[in-house]
Amino acid sequence: MAMLKFKHNGVIIDRIIDITELALRDAHQSLIATRLGIDDMTGACEELDTAGYWSIECWGGATYDACIRYLNEDPWERLRTFKKLMPKTPLQMLLRGQNLLGYRHYQDEVVERFCRKSAENGIDVFRIFDALNDLRNIETSVRAVKAAGGHAQGTISYTVSPIHTTALFVDQARRLQEMGVDSICIKDMAALIKPQAAYDLVKGIKEACGPELRVHLHVHATTGVTLVSLMKAVEAGIDCVDTAISTMSLGPGHNPTESFIEMLEGTGFSTRVDMEKVLRVKSYFTNVLGRYHEFQSQVTGVETEIFKSQIPGGMLSNMESQLRQQGAGDRMKEVLEEIPIVRKDTGYVPLVTPSSQIVGTQAVLNVLMGRYKVLTGEFADLMLGYYGEGPGEKNREVVEMSRAHAKKEPITCRPADLLKPEWDKLRAEALALPGCNGTDEDVLTYAMFPQVAPKFFADRHEGPRNLGKDPVTGVSETTPAEGHQGAITGPITYSVTLSGHHHKVTVAPYQ
Amino acid sequence: MAMLKFKHNGVIIDRIIDITELALRDAHQSLIATRLGIDDMTGACEELDTAGYWSIECWGGATYDACIRYLNEDPWERLRTFKKLMPKTPLQMLLRGQNLLGYRHYQDEVVERFCRKSAENGIDVFRIFDALNDLRNIETSVRAVKAAGGHAQGTISYTVSPIHTTALFVDQARRLQEMGVDSICIKDMAALIKPQAAYDLVKGIKEACGPELRVHLHVHATTGVTLVSLMKAVEAGIDCVDTAISTMSLGPGHNPTESFIEMLEGTGFSTRVDMEKVLRVKSYFTNVLGRYHEFQSQVTGVETEIFKSQIPGGMLSNMESQLRQQGAGDRMKEVLEEIPIVRKDTGYVPLVTPSSQIVGTQAVLNVLMGRYKVLTGEFADLMLGYYGEGPGEKNREVVEMSRAHAKKEPITCRPADLLKPEWDKLRAEALALPGCNGTDEDVLTYAMFPQVAPKFFADRHEGPRNLGKDPVTGVSETTPAEGHQGAITGPITYSVTLSGHHHKVTVAPYQ
């Protein structure tokens, strides 16, 4: 009954769609504030490695930060552990271009050393993005990754605005191709990409760049529509999609790996992923989220209001807390109306780290103090070009205010071109810290997290701290979350968050 | 850029897709064990009524049962309240054909009176199904609904088996059309329909029955793939889909209304539903699930294992509890393997009330006592034709065992043809009960729920009981769940369920 098939252009397609598994990086970053400890991951690695994924995403800025800030884990050691346990499947990381995993631009030599060391320690695929889609901010890392033998994936930070047309993004893909990337990623961190938009964009990139250039699609699940967008991307020719094992999915996280595999049945598309192994990984992670309950995202269902406000869930809760600190918790609605105005003034920057924080904070200040009466240094820098340039036109009046406020001239060059060589200075400072082991890896930790590294170096010898707690007893433990449903014998206290209020809760047997 | 459109056959389509809202019936039945009280619904009615839905589903077997069993609410009074508050949008109910809302077959006069009374009290659209897809079990209600001026929707209980092909279901749709139904519903209660299957089936029905016969699609969200199936159904020509407001959706429930509306943007398809009103309904229901926490389904994420086991979530937890009562909680795996065998022996009945309970219980007995060593009366009746006939061939050996066990002959006639007139007897029995008000509505309550009706008639004067509790204080209340986040002043105790264990939990301020 070929006439009943919905195949595009009537063609019966028989094509493999690859999958990148997100459980070990973005899934727990989105769902439990990046707190997942290495002990809660190692037991899944063999199944993950042999399940047939195109890659396993397992490293990035927030995981690196959480390792040294909360978990007393050396992120490089974590990476080596992953490589040892998953030798077959390419390991993937998310890299903020010239920012590396930190919050400022680094001089090219630092970028080059970071990419080389990451490849040496186990990263195979580098997904490289810039918040403003300024390709000058990713060219050094693309070059360095390729020099180190890695796969350089050039990224489009997806957003929706009057200037962000399909044609604009397709043009960005072509420029990334000219730069020499090995593949393209469409990165939709706020779950904004709707089915038709996904179809049009993937199709457009494939037509402009040719069928050989791989296109990957990264989407979150927050708005509830993006599994449909993945289906449409498949029909349009996508090569690989990002999903997360079901027990580590949905809400502000991603679409479930199992659902993606199952939904392709009968369509002529299929994956290489072994469902039996995936279900064993699911079983492994079944209790993990519960053990990190205190870190769990408040958002669990879908939130379609994001389509209007453009504000990702994480940004929303940040702003609410900023407002409450100022005793202005009741002015959230004004802030939500101010954000699109501020974003427009910046030339419609995509809202992703760090631009989301910069725009959100400025909107809060505008509401509390009057529009642009007070500017943050970061906002002025953004307006003056110190984060790079986006495709949109900025409000010239606000640029002028920024110049006056920051007492700095606007720039049009690549921001990193203003930086002097800094590696030797960073190295000297790092090596002076007690506990620094003298490696380039430690220098990079210090370079990217100068506030956090000293304490981490000093405490590192104590070994990893697992923050998972038994969901019933509330007791921390270091073994994976299996078989912890035994009877409790007396009242036990732990903290829970209900409707944003923290409570100390005592649990005792009921029957 | 028309060439970038994914439109079927290259046609740019501009078509309205209708929506049936499930919040007031199946959503809370699936998510909080049907416990939602009328006080937690009335405040949303005006927005629901004017939002532009094709229909509002608000009545059915489980809601009727819960009204008289738990909520001390007269289900007919609830219906009249809905009609008063929602005069514009058609009200819809789910009807189990010859079973009405009970668990046995009723003689035709009872069926006719029920349909007439339901229409008189406010039901406009009757979705009529039979668990076995035996159309003889729905013909009386279809006729009665049409006689009462209602919209009779003939239903296909969707399932997956070697005999349940697209062609078989399309043939069923044609037979429903010949019976004179006003529309067809594909009812996928276990979230089994995958995108391609949904496309093929909708397309097949439209081609066989013509474009004028409306086709509706009802899916649950449990497996995570069915929003994609809705998209494919839209492309294949579906007229109306069922969704639930986002704060009452997902898990064992349904796809979020807002996500369905949003995902159509740019596709050439759209809805008539006013998003602003939908978001106000969302806001109204925001805290409702939390207030019914003790009734909340344990299943919250997606469960793709259902594709293999075919066992809906509710059935699974029932069987687990049956096994535990027998001290055989460790034999679940064997039962899961036994169910497909039992189901095959029945001729692959769809697993939906009451067949799901019958097959599940027999599988448990087979594991505990040896295969078919003990038969339930219901299972024997199913094998002997007393529930009607499905399209599959039954295991003749098991039919013989059933005949020997039940000491009854197999039948091939319509089961209700064996019933004698019973209305007068039911009426006399009902009127003898203290508190019975003498109406046909009360007689029907007694006819369908003879065990529960007496107590309900006696207690009815006490008025509705709202089982919702403040999520923080644990105190029952009768007003809608808004503004209950005030400070608590002392330790307060309520019960929670963690990993299936019940606990008494004491909550006290933390900071």
Side-chain angles (χ1 to χ4, degrees):
Chain A
M1 294 209 292
M3 66 180 180
L4 294 190
K5 295 283 184 183
F6 65 80
K7 301 310 175 304
H8 188 52
N9 293 333
V11 180
I12 305 295
I13 297 154
D14 190 4
R15 201 160 63 78
I16 295 288
I17 310 297
D18 288 318
I19 300 182
T20 292
E21 172 61 49
L22 302 172
L24 305 186
R25 204 281 299 178
D26 203 6
H28 73 97
Q29 178 173 334
S30 302
L31 296 172
I32 50 171
T34 335
R35 295 304 205 283
L36 195 59
I38 186 72
D39 288 342
D40 281 324
M41 300 190 257
T42 50
C45 286
E46 190 185 336
E47 302 284 5
L48 284 169
D49 192 36
T50 55
Y53 288 107
W54 188 81
S55 67
I56 310 279
E57 196 199 38
C58 61
W59 223 51
T63 55
Y64 198 111
D65 188 340
C67 269
I68 60 173
R69 194 183 298 266
Y70 305 116
L71 305 175
N72 207 41
E73 256 188 66
D74 191 323
W76 297 93
E77 184 57 34
R78 174 184 283 201
L79 176 53
R80 289 187 291 269
T81 301
F82 282 148
K83 196 63 184 177
K84 195 174 135 201
L85 297 176
M86 297 183 283
K88 292 178 186 158
T89 305
L91 300 186
Q92 181 171 320
M93 78 168 292
L94 181 65
L95 185 62
R96 293 189 205 123
Q98 205 74 22
N99 288 351
L100 298 178
L101 308 179
Y103 300 96
R104 67 167 175 92
H105 285 254
Y106 291 90
Q107 195 270 333
D108 287 343
E109 185 187 355
V110 184
V111 173
E112 286 153 11
R113 285 182 182 265
F114 176 85
C115 294
R116 192 158 64 237
K117 281 291 158 191
S118 300
E120 280 177 22
N121 281 277
I123 294 295
D124 301 286
V125 179
F126 296 72
R127 176 173 291 171
I128 309 167
F129 82 98
D130 178 67
L132 276 62
N133 286 321
D134 184 341
L135 299 194
R136 300 171 306 171
N137 289 339
I138 76 167
E139 63 190 18
T140 300
S141 20
V142 168
R143 201 169 47 236
V145 164
K146 293 185 72 76
H151 178 115
Q153 183 168 85
T155 302
I156 295 166
S157 297
Y158 185 79
T159 191
V160 176
S161 86
I163 63 160
H164 287 92
T165 59
T166 300
L168 184 89
F169 286 133
V170 168
D171 178 64
Q172 183 176 346
R174 282 184 57 91
R175 288 185 294 128
L176 285 165
Q177 184 179 31
E178 281 161 21
M179 191 188 283
V181 299
D182 297 298
S183 60
I184 301 281
C185 172
I186 304 161
K187 176 179 164 65
D188 176 26
M189 50 280 168
L192 294 175
I193 199 163
K194 290 182 181 177
Q196 184 70 45
Y199 184 91
D200 292 345
L201 183 50
V202 173
K203 194 88 177 168
I205 293 173
K206 281 287 179 184
E207 286 179 357
C209 299
E212 296 306 314
L213 185 65
R214 292 181 64 86
V215 182
H216 292 220
L217 178 55
H218 174 88
V219 295
H220 284 247
T222 332
T223 54
V225 310
T226 58
L227 188 64
V228 187
S229 306
L230 291 188
M231 184 75 235
K232 284 294 155 197
V234 165
E235 292 174 15
I238 200 85
D239 295 282
C240 183
V241 302
D242 288 17
T243 62
I245 212 77
S246 62
T247 37
M248 298 276 282
S249 75
L250 297 176
H254 313 81
N255 293 291
T257 303
E258 300 95 305
S259 299
F260 180 81
I261 296 171
E262 292 283 1
M263 83 171 180
L264 295 182
E265 188 186 328
T267 62
F269 304 99
S270 57
T271 77
R272 287 194 185 87
V273 177
D274 178 342
M275 185 59 101
E276 292 303 317
K277 297 202 174 190
V278 167
L279 289 177
R280 284 201 286 275
V281 175
K282 172 189 177 171
S283 168
Y284 176 87
F285 280 120
T286 293
N287 294 316
V288 166
L289 284 190
R291 295 184 54 250
Y292 290 85
H293 185 272
E294 64 184 296
F295 304 110
Q296 216 163 327
S297 164
Q298 297 292 309
V299 180
T300 52
V302 308
E303 291 289 339
T304 58
E305 289 92 328
I306 297 170
F307 288 125
K308 199 170 172 191
S309 69
Q310 302 249 342
I311 300 162
M315 184 174 164
L316 208 65
S317 52
N318 262 351
M319 282 187 314
E320 278 177 337
S321 120
Q322 285 178 344
L323 279 173
R324 268 198 304 272
Q325 282 165 20
Q326 305 295 323
D330 56 335
R331 304 188 68 180
M332 192 64 192
K333 195 161 177 291
E334 291 167 77
V335 173
L336 289 181
E337 285 161 6
E338 183 68 14
I339 284 175
I341 295 166
V342 175
R343 181 167 173 254
K344 185 178 178 204
D345 289 340
T346 66
Y348 297 108
V349 292
L351 298 181
V352 60
T353 303
S355 55
S356 52
Q357 292 84 346
I358 296 171
V359 169
T361 303
Q362 189 58 49
V364 168
L365 286 177
N366 284 6
V367 166
L368 295 180
M369 319 292 282
R371 188 169 292 159
Y372 301 124
K373 295 294 181 208
V374 175
L375 301 184
T376 67
E378 289 81 4
F379 182 75
D381 278 355
L382 179 66
M383 294 304 290
L384 296 171
Y386 289 90
Y387 286 90
E389 285 298 330
E393 203 174 328
K394 287 179 267 194
N395 182 328
R396 301 185 67 79
E397 246 179 280
V398 184
V399 171
E400 276 311 306
M401 287 185 235
S402 299
R403 185 214 298 260
H405 171 272
K407 300 184 176 57
K408 282 157 88 171
E409 288 305 302
I411 62 167
T412 57
C413 67
R414 184 182 75 120
D417 284 338
L418 301 176
L419 299 173
K420 298 210 168 55
E422 57 179 335
W423 177 257
D424 291 343
K425 179 168 174 285
L426 289 166
R427 178 169 176 80
E429 288 170 4
L431 265 59
L433 294 170
C436 176
N437 63 18
T439 61
D440 279 9
E441 285 83 350
D442 261 16
V443 178
L444 289 162
T445 296
Y446 168 74
M448 296 187 293
F449 300 94
Q451 312 294 327
V452 188
K455 185 165 189 323
F456 168 67
F457 290 158
D459 294 347
R460 175 164 45 188
H461 66 278
E462 294 168 12
R465 271 194 297 274
N466 186 305
L467 302 181
K469 290 190 173 111
D470 185 297
V472 174
T473 65
V475 174
S476 296
E477 43 179 330
T478 52
T479 50
E482 283 175 356
H484 289 284
Q485 301 188 359
I488 41 176
T489 53
I492 289 156
T493 301
Y494 64 108
S495 74
V496 296
T497 304
L498 278 173
S499 313
H501 297 249
H502 300 286
H503 303 281
K504 195 157 102 180
V505 173
T506 302
V507 181
Y510 184 48
Q511 28 189 20
Chain B
M1 292 211 292
M3 66 179 179
L4 294 190
K5 296 282 183 183
F6 65 81
K7 300 309 175 305
H8 187 52
N9 293 335
V11 181
I12 305 293
I13 299 154
D14 189 5
R15 202 160 62 78
I16 295 288
I17 311 296
D18 288 318
I19 300 182
T20 292
E21 172 62 49
L22 302 172
L24 304 186
R25 203 281 297 179
D26 203 5
H28 72 97
Q29 177 172 335
S30 302
L31 295 172
I32 49 170
T34 334
R35 295 306 204 282
L36 195 58
I38 187 71
D39 287 342
D40 281 323
M41 300 190 260
T42 49
C45 286
E46 190 185 336
E47 302 284 6
L48 284 169
D49 192 36
T50 55
Y53 289 106
W54 187 82
S55 67
I56 310 279
E57 197 200 37
C58 62
W59 224 51
T63 54
Y64 198 111
D65 188 339
C67 270
I68 60 172
R69 194 184 297 266
Y70 305 115
L71 305 175
N72 207 42
E73 256 189 64
D74 190 324
W76 297 93
E77 184 57 34
R78 175 184 283 202
L79 175 54
R80 289 188 291 269
T81 301
F82 282 147
K83 196 63 184 178
K84 194 174 135 202
L85 297 177
M86 297 183 284
K88 292 179 187 160
T89 305
L91 301 186
Q92 181 171 320
M93 77 168 294
L94 181 64
L95 184 62
R96 293 189 204 123
Q98 205 73 23
N99 288 351
L100 298 178
L101 308 179
Y103 300 96
R104 67 167 176 94
H105 286 254
Y106 291 90
Q107 195 269 333
D108 286 342
E109 185 187 356
V110 184
V111 173
E112 286 154 9
R113 284 183 184 266
F114 177 85
C115 294
R116 192 158 63 238
K117 280 291 158 193
S118 299
E120 279 177 24
N121 280 277
I123 294 294
D124 301 286
V125 180
F126 295 72
R127 176 173 290 171
I128 309 168
F129 82 98
D130 178 67
L132 275 61
N133 285 322
D134 184 341
L135 299 195
R136 300 171 306 171
N137 289 338
I138 76 169
E139 62 191 19
T140 300
S141 21
V142 167
R143 202 169 46 236
V145 164
K146 293 184 72 76
H151 177 115
Q153 184 169 82
T155 302
I156 295 167
S157 296
Y158 185 78
T159 190
V160 176
S161 85
I163 63 159
H164 288 91
T165 60
T166 299
L168 184 89
F169 286 132
V170 168
D171 178 64
Q172 183 177 343
R174 281 183 58 91
R175 289 185 293 129
L176 286 165
Q177 185 179 30
E178 282 162 21
M179 192 187 283
V181 299
D182 297 297
S183 61
I184 301 281
C185 172
I186 304 162
K187 175 178 163 65
D188 176 26
M189 50 280 168
L192 294 173
I193 200 163
K194 291 183 180 176
Q196 185 70 45
Y199 184 91
D200 292 345
L201 183 49
V202 173
K203 195 87 178 170
I205 293 173
K206 279 287 178 184
E207 285 178 359
C209 300
E212 295 307 315
L213 185 66
R214 290 181 65 86
V215 182
H216 292 221
L217 179 54
H218 174 88
V219 295
H220 284 247
T222 333
T223 55
V225 309
T226 57
L227 188 64
V228 188
S229 307
L230 292 188
M231 184 74 236
K232 283 295 154 196
V234 165
E235 291 174 16
I238 201 84
D239 296 281
C240 183
V241 302
D242 287 17
T243 60
I245 210 79
S246 63
T247 37
M248 298 277 281
S249 75
L250 297 176
H254 312 82
N255 292 291
T257 304
E258 301 94 304
S259 298
F260 180 81
I261 296 170
E262 292 282 2
M263 84 171 179
L264 296 182
E265 188 186 330
T267 62
F269 304 99
S270 57
T271 78
R272 287 193 185 86
V273 178
D274 178 341
M275 185 60 101
E276 291 304 315
K277 297 204 175 188
V278 167
L279 290 176
R280 284 202 286 275
V281 175
K282 172 189 176 172
S283 167
Y284 177 86
F285 281 120
T286 292
N287 295 316
V288 166
L289 284 189
R291 296 183 54 250
Y292 290 84
H293 185 272
E294 63 184 297
F295 304 110
Q296 215 163 328
S297 164
Q298 296 293 308
V299 180
T300 51
V302 308
E303 291 289 339
T304 58
E305 289 92 328
I306 296 170
F307 288 125
K308 201 171 170 188
S309 70
Q310 302 249 344
I311 301 162
M315 184 175 164
L316 207 66
S317 52
N318 263 350
M319 283 187 313
E320 277 176 338
S321 121
Q322 285 178 344
L323 280 173
R324 268 199 305 270
Q325 281 165 20
Q326 305 295 322
D330 56 335
R331 303 187 70 180
M332 192 64 193
K333 196 163 175 292
E334 292 166 75
V335 173
L336 289 181
E337 284 161 7
E338 184 67 14
I339 283 174
I341 295 166
V342 175
R343 181 167 172 254
K344 187 180 176 201
D345 289 340
T346 66
Y348 297 107
V349 292
L351 298 181
V352 61
T353 301
S355 56
S356 52
Q357 291 86 343
I358 296 172
V359 169
T361 303
Q362 189 58 49
V364 169
L365 285 177
N366 284 5
V367 165
L368 295 181
M369 319 290 282
R371 188 171 292 159
Y372 300 124
K373 294 296 182 209
V374 175
L375 301 183
T376 67
E378 290 81 4
F379 182 75
D381 278 356
L382 179 66
M383 294 305 290
L384 296 172
Y386 289 89
Y387 286 90
E389 286 297 331
E393 204 174 327
K394 287 179 264 194
N395 182 327
R396 301 186 67 79
E397 247 179 278
V398 184
V399 172
E400 275 312 306
M401 286 185 237
S402 298
R403 183 214 299 260
H405 172 272
K407 300 184 175 58
K408 282 158 90 172
E409 288 306 301
I411 61 167
T412 56
C413 68
R414 186 182 75 121
D417 284 339
L418 301 177
L419 300 174
K420 298 208 168 58
E422 57 178 336
W423 176 257
D424 292 343
K425 179 169 174 285
L426 289 167
R427 179 168 176 81
E429 287 171 5
L431 264 60
L433 294 171
C436 175
N437 63 19
T439 61
D440 278 8
E441 286 83 350
D442 260 16
V443 178
L444 289 162
T445 295
Y446 169 73
M448 297 188 291
F449 299 93
Q451 311 295 327
V452 188
K455 184 166 190 318
F456 168 68
F457 289 158
D459 295 348
R460 176 165 42 190
H461 66 278
E462 294 168 12
R465 271 193 295 275
N466 186 304
L467 303 181
K469 290 189 173 114
D470 185 295
V472 174
T473 65
V475 175
S476 295
E477 43 177 331
T478 52
T479 49
E482 283 177 355
H484 290 283
Q485 302 186 2
I488 41 178
T489 53
I492 288 156
T493 301
Y494 62 108
S495 75
V496 296
T497 304
L498 276 173
S499 313
H501 298 251
H502 300 287
H503 304 279
K504 196 156 104 182
V505 173
T506 302
V507 181
Y510 185 48
Q511 29 188 21

